[in-house]
Amino acid sequence: MSFPADSVGLVTPKKFSFEEPLELECDRILPRFDLMVETYGELNADQSNAILICHALSGHHHAAGYHHEDDKKPGWWDACIGPGKAIDTSKFFVVALNNIGGCSGSTGPISPNPENENRPYGPDFPLVTVRDWVKTQAMLSDRMGITQWYAVIGGSLGGMQALQWSVDYPDRLQKCVIIASTPKLSAQNIAFNEVARQSILSDPDFHNGRYLENDSYPKRGLILARMVGHITYLSEEAMKQKFGRDLKSGNFMYGFDVEFQVESYLRYQGEQFSRNFDANTYLIMTKALDYFDPSREYEQSLKKAMEHTQCKFLVVSFTTDWRFTPERSQEIVDALISNHKPVSYLDIDAEQGHDSFLFPIPLYVKSLRAFLGGQEHLKATPQEVV
Amino acid sequence: MSFPADSVGLVTPKKFSFEEPLELECDRILPRFDLMVETYGELNADQSNAILICHALSGHHHAAGYHHEDDKKPGWWDACIGPGKAIDTSKFFVVALNNIGGCSGSTGPISPNPENENRPYGPDFPLVTVRDWVKTQAMLSDRMGITQWYAVIGGSLGGMQALQWSVDYPDRLQKCVIIASTPKLSAQNIAFNEVARQSILSDPDFHNGRYLENDSYPKRGLILARMVGHITYLSEEAMKQKFGRDLKSGNFMYGFDVEFQVESYLRYQGEQFSRNFDANTYLIMTKALDYFDPSREYEQSLKKAMEHTQCKFLVVSFTTDWRFTPERSQEIVDALISNHKPVSYLDIDAEQGHDSFLFPIPLYVKSLRAFLGGQEHLKATPQEVV
């Protein structure tokens, strides 16, 4: 065993089962569900040090540490979670889960459907929303004896869940961290999601979502969906620096094999992703993104939606994020300010585009640490707006 | 007959056949080829009033006027070509052609391959480049008795051809108009093209490009390719104004049928396009875009590439074009300025993104007219850099 000193080390996921019907926003009912959960650190006596981590489109409960001694990669946010790290597991009890509709152990399209002879749900799994997820996360909190989270944190789609927490359960979180997110998707965001969905839906191996029962898999569709998604996660500048117009063989080949390095990278990313992710889950995740709009129940006013929030907010955006631009984060900040809510906002100068939220960029990590440490009103920097 | 007064009216394409081997950049040889051509206006006695229009990815020879009295739509650039219009057919003789590799009548993948029992070329059609196109356009000029073009004009991929003309045949054009273009694709541009290609290549109906012989057609792939392309043609702002988050039925349907208007639009665009365009041609066009880089033969220096140009240039970009941003046009302008070449540059304030080049935006049309009219050095406007 030789994990880094600031790693949470070996971790074991735990399944929480909820044997009660769950009413969903779409008016359908899930008869029962499981949540796959990982925790890092210790819950203190008065349950006041718990932090919830909400995952993004392709995320899951494995946010930090290692599942096996020979794992090459740690959890997806290991850069920020661990003893002494920004989300300090020597101080905080950190909870990460896989959301329902997911494909990493929580109830989702690959789970048995009790209402259909325990065959995989497949396309019969309901379309869940960010509100639904937050509701199940609140049920998990109850089960864990956590009345109030010290903080709820998420990036991208995870940031939407953090935001929704502050709206739906205002007294159940002290702090809310919304990173690289948006109060709702733009037409262009939806358009990219639609291309990803059509890639999967139109793959002949999709079989209307019943590929598992047909011993099939819409691999091509999932590869395409991930490729197009991946372009939107990286900034143009990051792509330029990473690949430029570099050729794989040094010369034009005048064929359709990989010529440019960026093609090689995208194909590899798509291929890798398609091995580990469920296509129906991908569809569900993109729909949850599209549907997210907390202002919908508040006369289309984000200000009204956030009027009753009680927590302190940290909103973070990244300069080169063109999927959810800094302007979109600023809409959240504006809504909070107009409600006189406590909010710190940082637009971090970073080159990695939307993906920046996964990287340990010094100012970002520092601000996260400071906000969680109690210094909500960060020292002013040139990039700080509020 | 009731065409608008400023229309060129009914037009008939004409096929020019070249029964001689054409050596291509990829080192392959096309034994013969046809070019489908339309002309508008009259060539004057000293052949000094001819303007060549180069088309973009999905364009063709039908740039203006109507093929039938009941045509609902005119040619693709009718907004700018006609008597009294910016490209004034009462003064100029305008030539538009379909490039080789295309699918609108010029020799391309759907044409008979004389070296294979006249079966369709399909995937055996060579990958052609912008230089190859310009070479065939020069052959067409010879055939038409046009020693020197008054102007060569193109937008997007068409702008690359105009630029290449100025480099490869410096004494054969007086003026060069490069609109919404770039001196070479970025890694992100290539990445989007690669997604489009993989959509087509991975469609089981593609049959390695021999779909015609297999009585098949990669419709799904072509729809996806066009959808992803279309997103990059529109600005985020244009999409927002056109569709926003408007729902088709007013409510969330919690399914995969069209929910948002933008989805409906994209699917329609993809569907329409897939009916009229050849998949192998789409692949060829995206590769021509990727390969374009006039600096390659000049020590990676665009300045050196443009050193021997002799024409006057008008370079136009559009503020919301994120496919080929104004910065990319400015690279061309910078290379010209550093060579002390005459160049006018306008960055036009327009909302339509990359597609702006097809719209009759007043300042854009005015500048085009002025440049062609001989007033190369346009009156200064706040948007004008040079």
Side-chain angles (χ1 to χ4, degrees):
Chain A
M1 235 182 87
S2 62
F3 298 124
D6 60 355
S7 164
V8 298
L10 270 187
V11 291
T12 308
K14 189 182 165 190
K15 189 182 274 186
F16 286 77
S17 293
F18 297 81
E19 306 295 342
E20 57 208 271
L22 177 72
E23 207 175 313
L24 300 167
E25 263 206 284
C26 65
D27 276 341
R28 287 178 58 192
I29 287 165
L30 212 53
R32 65 167 303 287
F33 67 97
D34 299 320
L35 291 179
M36 193 63 91
V37 176
E38 274 181 23
T39 66
Y40 322 110
E42 300 294 328
L43 187 61
N44 62 12
D46 59 357
Q47 291 95 29
S48 64
N49 71 333
I51 290 180
L52 178 67
I53 308 292
C54 304
H55 71 75
L57 195 152
S58 60
H60 42 64
H61 54 280
H62 186 36
Y66 301 82
H67 282 168
H68 304 99
E69 302 211 358
D70 51 357
D71 275 0
K72 281 177 188 150
K73 277 188 181 178
W76 60 267
W77 213 15
D78 197 83
C80 284
I81 303 170
K85 289 184 182 169
I87 301 170
D88 189 346
T89 53
S90 58
K91 288 167 62 183
F92 299 113
F93 175 65
V94 179
V95 177
L97 80 159
N98 184 219
N99 282 318
I100 56 169
C103 54
S104 303
S106 294
T107 300
I110 59 173
S111 307
N113 180 356
E115 291 170 335
N116 186 19
E117 299 167 355
N118 282 327
R119 283 192 279 194
Y121 270 102
D124 297 330
F125 198 87
L127 287 186
V128 288
T129 65
V130 169
R131 286 194 80 182
D132 292 329
W133 287 334
V134 169
K135 190 173 171 181
T136 60
Q137 290 162 8
M139 292 167 76
L140 177 67
S141 321
D142 294 341
R143 180 74 66 83
M144 297 180 106
I146 297 163
T147 313
Q148 188 188 53
W149 295 98
Y150 178 70
V152 177
I153 306 178
S156 192
L157 178 54
M160 295 176 181
Q161 294 160 56
L163 193 162
Q164 192 75 54
W165 260 97
S166 74
V167 172
D168 288 355
Y169 302 98
D171 56 345
R172 297 198 68 174
L173 67 165
Q174 281 187 49
K175 303 188 181 191
C176 179
V177 183
I178 303 165
I179 308 164
S181 197
T182 174
K184 61 186 175 198
L185 261 59
S186 69
Q188 191 190 67
N189 295 148
I190 295 171
F192 277 119
N193 280 345
E194 173 65 1
V195 171
R197 278 191 294 271
Q198 289 301 320
S199 299
I200 293 169
L201 293 166
S202 72
D203 185 331
D205 293 332
F206 182 65
H207 293 287
N208 292 315
R210 302 204 188 280
Y211 41 86
L212 292 181
E213 294 177 67
N214 284 278
D215 205 19
S216 170
Y217 193 65
K219 188 179 175 73
R220 290 175 295 242
L222 207 49
I223 289 176
L224 289 173
R226 184 60 169 183
M227 285 173 78
V228 71
H230 216 89
I231 299 176
T232 70
Y233 304 151
L234 294 183
S235 70
E236 168 134 39
E237 186 57 29
M239 274 203 171
K240 186 179 173 182
Q241 293 194 3
K242 211 164 175 172
F243 312 110
R245 291 177 51 85
D246 291 351
L247 295 166
K248 194 145 191 215
S249 78
N251 281 303
F252 289 156
M253 307 302 291
Y254 297 106
F256 298 114
D257 288 339
V258 162
E259 293 209 86
F260 293 94
Q261 291 291 2
V262 65
E263 296 173 316
S264 172
Y265 173 79
L266 277 186
R267 289 192 202 180
Y268 178 81
Q269 292 292 333
E271 173 73 29
Q272 286 298 106
F273 184 75
S274 72
R275 291 184 193 178
N276 303 305
F277 210 81
D278 179 65
N280 284 314
T281 288
Y282 201 93
L283 295 174
I284 287 169
M285 293 288 157
T286 61
K287 274 303 208 182
L289 280 162
D290 289 3
Y291 289 143
F292 180 68
D293 179 6
S295 76
R296 253 177 89 84
E297 281 112 40
Y298 296 88
E299 301 163 41
Q300 307 297 330
S301 160
L302 184 63
K303 183 190 171 186
K304 280 197 179 135
M306 308 204 78
E307 196 172 26
H308 301 289
T309 62
Q310 298 174 27
C311 59
K312 289 170 177 157
F313 290 86
L314 172 64
V315 178
V316 180
S317 61
F318 300 93
T319 50
T320 57
D321 184 350
W322 65 277
R323 183 180 175 87
F324 300 147
T325 61
E327 288 71 26
R328 308 310 308 276
S329 283
Q330 287 156 24
E331 291 174 32
I332 301 169
V333 174
D334 290 346
L336 289 166
I337 290 175
S338 65
N339 279 312
H340 306 290
K341 302 292 182 186
V343 53
S344 295
Y345 168 60
L346 280 112
D347 185 30
I348 303 282
D349 199 0
E351 281 168 359
Q352 297 92 336
H354 187 60
D355 265 359
S356 299
F357 82 91
L358 295 167
F359 290 85
I361 300 158
L363 183 59
Y364 164 45
V365 171
K366 198 177 138 194
S367 68
L368 193 55
R369 182 195 300 276
F371 182 73
L372 294 177
Q375 301 152 274
E376 299 84 359
H377 297 290
L378 302 171
K379 281 173 197 153
T381 73
Q383 286 163 315
E384 200 170 333
V385 168
V386 178
Chain B
M1 235 183 88
S2 63
F3 298 124
D6 60 355
S7 164
V8 297
L10 270 186
V11 291
T12 308
K14 190 183 164 189
K15 190 181 276 187
F16 287 76
S17 294
F18 297 81
E19 307 295 342
E20 56 209 271
L22 177 72
E23 206 175 315
L24 299 167
E25 263 206 283
C26 65
D27 275 341
R28 287 178 58 192
I29 288 165
L30 211 53
R32 65 168 303 286
F33 66 98
D34 299 319
L35 291 179
M36 193 62 93
V37 176
E38 275 182 22
T39 65
Y40 321 109
E42 300 294 329
L43 186 60
N44 61 12
D46 59 357
Q47 291 96 28
S48 64
N49 71 334
I51 290 180
L52 177 68
I53 308 292
C54 305
H55 71 75
L57 195 152
S58 60
H60 42 64
H61 54 280
H62 185 36
Y66 300 82
H67 283 168
H68 304 99
E69 302 212 356
D70 51 357
D71 275 359
K72 281 175 188 151
K73 279 187 178 176
W76 60 268
W77 212 15
D78 196 83
C80 286
I81 302 169
K85 289 184 183 170
I87 302 169
D88 190 347
T89 53
S90 59
K91 288 167 62 183
F92 299 113
F93 175 66
V94 178
V95 178
L97 80 158
N98 184 218
N99 282 317
I100 56 168
C103 54
S104 302
S106 294
T107 300
I110 59 173
S111 307
N113 179 356
E115 291 170 335
N116 186 18
E117 299 166 356
N118 282 328
R119 282 190 280 195
Y121 270 103
D124 297 330
F125 197 85
L127 288 185
V128 288
T129 65
V130 168
R131 286 195 80 182
D132 291 329
W133 286 334
V134 168
K135 189 173 171 182
T136 60
Q137 290 161 9
M139 292 166 77
L140 177 67
S141 321
D142 295 339
R143 181 75 64 85
M144 295 180 107
I146 298 163
T147 313
Q148 188 188 54
W149 296 97
Y150 178 69
V152 177
I153 305 178
S156 191
L157 178 54
M160 295 175 180
Q161 294 159 55
L163 193 163
Q164 192 76 52
W165 260 97
S166 74
V167 173
D168 288 355
Y169 303 98
D171 57 345
R172 297 198 67 174
L173 67 167
Q174 281 187 49
K175 303 187 181 189
C176 179
V177 183
I178 303 165
I179 308 164
S181 198
T182 173
K184 61 187 174 196
L185 261 59
S186 69
Q188 191 189 69
N189 294 148
I190 294 171
F192 277 119
N193 280 345
E194 173 65 2
V195 171
R197 278 192 293 270
Q198 289 301 320
S199 299
I200 293 168
L201 293 166
S202 73
D203 185 331
D205 294 332
F206 182 64
H207 293 285
N208 293 315
R210 302 203 189 279
Y211 40 87
L212 293 181
E213 293 177 69
N214 283 278
D215 205 18
S216 169
Y217 194 64
K219 188 180 174 73
R220 290 175 297 241
L222 206 50
I223 289 176
L224 289 173
R226 184 60 169 183
M227 285 174 78
V228 73
H230 216 90
I231 299 177
T232 69
Y233 304 152
L234 293 182
S235 70
E236 168 134 39
E237 186 57 29
M239 275 204 170
K240 185 178 172 183
Q241 293 194 1
K242 209 164 176 173
F243 313 109
R245 290 177 51 86
D246 292 350
L247 294 166
K248 194 146 193 214
S249 78
N251 282 303
F252 289 157
M253 307 303 291
Y254 296 107
F256 298 113
D257 288 339
V258 162
E259 292 209 87
F260 294 94
Q261 292 291 3
V262 65
E263 296 172 316
S264 172
Y265 173 80
L266 277 186
R267 288 192 202 180
Y268 177 81
Q269 292 290 333
E271 172 73 28
Q272 287 296 106
F273 183 76
S274 73
R275 292 185 193 177
N276 303 305
F277 209 81
D278 178 64
N280 283 314
T281 288
Y282 202 93
L283 295 174
I284 288 169
M285 293 288 158
T286 61
K287 274 303 208 181
L289 279 162
D290 289 4
Y291 290 143
F292 180 68
D293 180 6
S295 76
R296 254 177 88 83
E297 282 112 40
Y298 296 88
E299 301 163 43
Q300 306 297 329
S301 160
L302 185 62
K303 182 189 170 187
K304 279 196 180 138
M306 306 202 79
E307 198 173 26
H308 301 290
T309 63
Q310 298 175 27
C311 59
K312 289 168 179 158
F313 290 86
L314 172 65
V315 177
V316 180
S317 60
F318 300 93
T319 50
T320 57
D321 184 351
W322 65 277
R323 183 180 175 87
F324 299 147
T325 61
E327 288 72 26
R328 308 310 308 277
S329 283
Q330 287 155 25
E331 290 174 32
I332 300 169
V333 175
D334 289 348
L336 289 167
I337 290 176
S338 64
N339 279 313
H340 307 288
K341 301 292 181 185
V343 52
S344 295
Y345 168 58
L346 281 113
D347 185 30
I348 303 282
D349 199 0
E351 280 168 359
Q352 298 93 335
H354 187 60
D355 266 358
S356 299
F357 83 90
L358 295 167
F359 290 85
I361 299 158
L363 182 59
Y364 164 44
V365 171
K366 198 178 138 193
S367 67
L368 192 54
R369 183 195 300 276
F371 182 72
L372 294 177
Q375 301 152 274
E376 300 84 357
H377 296 289
L378 301 172
K379 280 172 199 156
T381 73
Q383 287 163 313
E384 201 171 331
V385 168
V386 179

